[in-house]
Amino acid sequence: MITREQITELAQFEDQASCALSFYFQPATPRNKAHKEEAILTKDLAREALRQLESKGKSDSARADLDRIVRLSHEFRGNGVHAKAVFACSAQNFWREYDLPAQLSGTQLLVNRHFHLKPLAQLLGAFPRLGIVLVDRHRARLFDLRLGELAEREGFFHPLSRRGRGDGFAGYDGGHAQRRIEDEALHHYKFVADFIKDALEKGMFEKWILGCQETHWPQIEAQLHSYASQKLLGRFNAEVAHVSTEEVRTQAERIFAESQERRCNEILRETISQARSNGRGVTGLRRVLHSIESGEVQTLLIGQNYHSQAVECAGCGHLDAHLVSLCPVCGRETRQVVDVSEAILPWVIRRNIELFYVKDDPDFDRVGNIAALLRFRSEQNNNVRSVTQAPPNPSVSRQEGLVGRYRGLAGG
Ligand SMILES: [Zn+2]
């Protein structure tokens, strides 16, 4: 699994000779038996990359990396379960390999000044750190789902170890026993609710999903802390003792996908409306870039197929929608970036900005296919602030650790 620190490292990497190599490997499904073709595809991609580098006279340092990637692709192809990402630059002695969920849009190989992070960004957003809690009257199980990996965490909940658990009311009779059982269930729900609140506050997971029987929900709900209720994405009907891991995964992924779509849609509407009223929303590349550099952005929305040029300062990293040759912040020379939606990602990652890629949406199209919802709005002036003056994202300090918490890049 890839951590937030590792992504930050990738986002900050730069090779002046433009030999930073990004390789994404999406395994073919066993169904189409394309293993051999995958290796051929990688070879073709490597050959094409080399040809491009040769035409620029820069092939020497990348050649070794490309050879190594072609060799590796023969090993990757057999695994079938994971996708892979490799980031390499032999000139700087840099080589990183990561396993990813096998949900990339395809196998890709790119060589550039920076690493190509959009596929990673899309995946990470699709997989924040999710807790899935299954509860009944005297049991609870906890799973977490990160980057497509579902794992049951043992030992978080001790089932109340009193006699008769699971044997119904054996050994008791009358209302007294009934009340006692009710009390115990209540205590149990309270214990679970405290645990969930604690886990969210400690960042064990960002959002959570509940599996329980419909009849138990009102009692469980009554015990939940409001903070935990806000972070609950949805619930599904589950028998704690019998539900299969696959069922938990399917339900969790469904609930998560629905909640992300809702959230993306809500944020989109709110951003557009806030931008109209000159409130906490901005639209259009120029304003969005300015807001990102000012540290105001909470959530960034980019059209799935958005492309626009911009310039980037070689000195301070400032991005500018105007194709100016000198940086308005530090005065050094700028260089063109072919795709600003890619160049923006290091900023998004460093500042822990939530990112959604928006699929075709007419309203979004009308405002230019790029927009941001702001945490606050700094003074409206036209001075471009330098990068170092921009306030840090206050949420970042709390968010060390694993990538799931590196907030919803992409589809969510
Ligand atoms: Zn500059």
Side-chain angles (χ1 to χ4, degrees):
M1 188 184 329
I2 186 164
T3 65
R4 181 178 161 71
E5 286 70 24
Q6 288 164 336
I7 292 170
T8 306
E9 178 192 38
L10 296 175
Q12 284 166 347
F13 188 90
E14 179 169 2
D15 182 50
Q16 293 296 340
S18 292
C19 287
L21 199 152
S22 313
F23 177 57
Y24 289 90
F25 180 83
Q26 167 65 22
T29 52
R31 184 160 34 96
N32 63 21
K33 295 193 173 78
H35 290 334
K36 197 173 166 200
E37 284 145 50
E38 290 165 27
I40 292 169
L41 173 62
T42 304
K43 216 169 179 173
D44 287 348
L45 291 171
R47 195 178 299 130
E48 174 60 21
L50 197 60
R51 202 184 54 74
Q52 280 181 18
L53 288 165
E54 275 167 351
S55 71
K56 296 178 199 156
K58 297 176 180 167
S59 59
D60 290 351
S61 74
R63 187 187 297 271
D65 289 331
L66 288 167
D67 286 347
R68 191 170 166 191
I69 279 170
V70 171
R71 281 199 307 278
L72 261 181
S73 69
H74 290 274
E75 292 170 29
F76 290 168
R77 67 188 175 168
N79 92 56
V81 181
H82 288 115
K84 291 272 183 179
V86 178
F87 302 95
C89 183
S90 59
Q92 297 191 39
N93 206 17
F94 190 97
W95 180 277
R96 303 283 185 275
E97 272 177 56
Y98 299 105
D99 279 349
L100 298 173
Q103 297 187 22
L104 299 171
S105 59
T107 295
Q108 295 183 64
L109 178 59
L110 291 108
V111 189
N112 214 322
R113 202 163 57 232
H114 296 283
F115 292 126
H116 176 62
L117 299 178
K118 188 171 168 182
L120 203 56
Q122 285 181 307
L123 272 184
L124 297 180
F127 298 96
R129 230 164 127 84
L130 280 182
I132 300 144
V133 183
L134 308 182
V135 190
D136 67 12
R137 292 164 63 88
H138 44 82
R139 270 174 303 225
R141 294 167 70 187
L142 173 72
F143 294 79
D144 63 15
L145 183 61
R146 269 182 262 159
L147 286 174
E149 308 270 358
L150 183 74
E152 179 155 14
R153 297 246 194 156
E154 307 267 4
F156 278 96
F157 295 128
H158 351 267
L160 298 184
S161 60
R162 289 166 222 168
R163 13 167 207 157
R165 277 320 81 159
D167 301 334
F169 303 111
Y172 297 100
D173 62 338
H176 178 71
Q178 176 65 38
R179 265 196 310 283
R180 177 163 169 186
I181 298 282
E182 294 293 336
D183 275 359
E184 285 179 8
L186 208 66
H187 271 107
H188 171 62
Y189 292 149
K190 194 170 174 338
F191 169 78
V192 173
D194 287 346
F195 174 86
I196 292 166
K197 175 171 174 274
D198 208 41
L200 286 164
E201 281 174 353
K202 286 184 183 147
M204 267 174 58
F205 40 86
E206 291 173 280
K207 299 279 168 65
W208 68 291
I209 288 167
L210 173 67
C212 69
Q213 286 178 40
E214 207 52 42
T215 49
H216 296 158
W217 166 240
Q219 279 185 294
I220 298 170
E221 187 182 24
Q223 296 303 321
L224 292 179
H225 299 263
S226 61
Y227 178 69
S229 297
Q230 284 163 22
K231 304 276 178 186
L232 177 63
L233 294 180
R235 61 196 160 85
F236 61 97
N237 204 28
E239 292 271 359
V240 174
H242 302 117
V243 67
S244 73
T245 309
E246 234 5 79
E247 171 76 359
V248 172
R249 177 202 298 278
T250 308
Q251 294 282 7
E253 286 178 349
R254 176 186 58 80
I255 289 170
F256 179 66
E258 287 166 8
S259 75
Q260 284 302 87
E261 207 178 313
R262 269 197 315 273
R263 180 163 168 76
C264 176
N265 210 15
E266 277 166 23
I267 293 212
L268 179 59
R269 306 300 144 208
E270 189 186 350
T271 303
I272 291 174
S273 132
Q274 288 279 345
R276 278 199 192 115
S277 61
N278 215 19
R280 289 193 312 119
V282 289
T283 58
L285 181 60
R286 193 181 63 80
R287 289 193 202 88
V288 166
L289 288 179
H290 176 67
S291 296
I292 287 177
E293 294 190 349
S294 309
E296 303 167 329
V297 175
Q298 174 190 306
T299 305
L300 177 64
L301 300 153
I302 305 182
Q304 186 77 52
N305 299 312
Y306 179 79
H307 279 282
S308 182
Q309 291 193 331
V311 294
E312 180 184 57
C313 171
C316 71
H318 167 71
L319 284 169
D320 208 303
H322 298 294
L323 305 183
V324 289
S325 56
L326 294 178
C327 173
V329 178
C330 73
R332 290 208 242 171
E333 263 186 58
T334 64
R335 56 203 174 187
Q336 245 176 293
V337 295
V338 179
D339 181 2
V340 74
S341 67
E342 181 72 36
I344 229 170
L345 290 176
W347 286 88
V348 170
I349 289 164
R350 278 201 299 272
R351 300 201 163 214
N352 203 37
I353 293 167
E354 181 179 30
L355 171 60
F356 287 99
Y357 288 103
V358 180
K359 297 198 185 77
D360 299 326
D361 184 292
D363 292 337
F364 194 49
D365 196 43
R366 240 168 269 133
V367 299
N369 282 307
I370 187 161
L373 186 65
L374 311 181
R375 280 196 301 275
F376 58 88
R377 188 148 205 170
S378 66
E379 282 172 54
Q380 311 257 323
N381 58 41
N382 292 321
N383 299 330
V384 181
R385 297 156 84 188
S386 86
V387 176
T388 47
Q389 286 175 308
N393 183 334
S395 63
V396 169
S397 53
R398 286 189 279 112
Q399 312 245 356
E400 84 299 338
L402 294 162
V403 112
R405 260 180 289 163
Y406 151 40
R407 265 280 354 109
L409 272 185

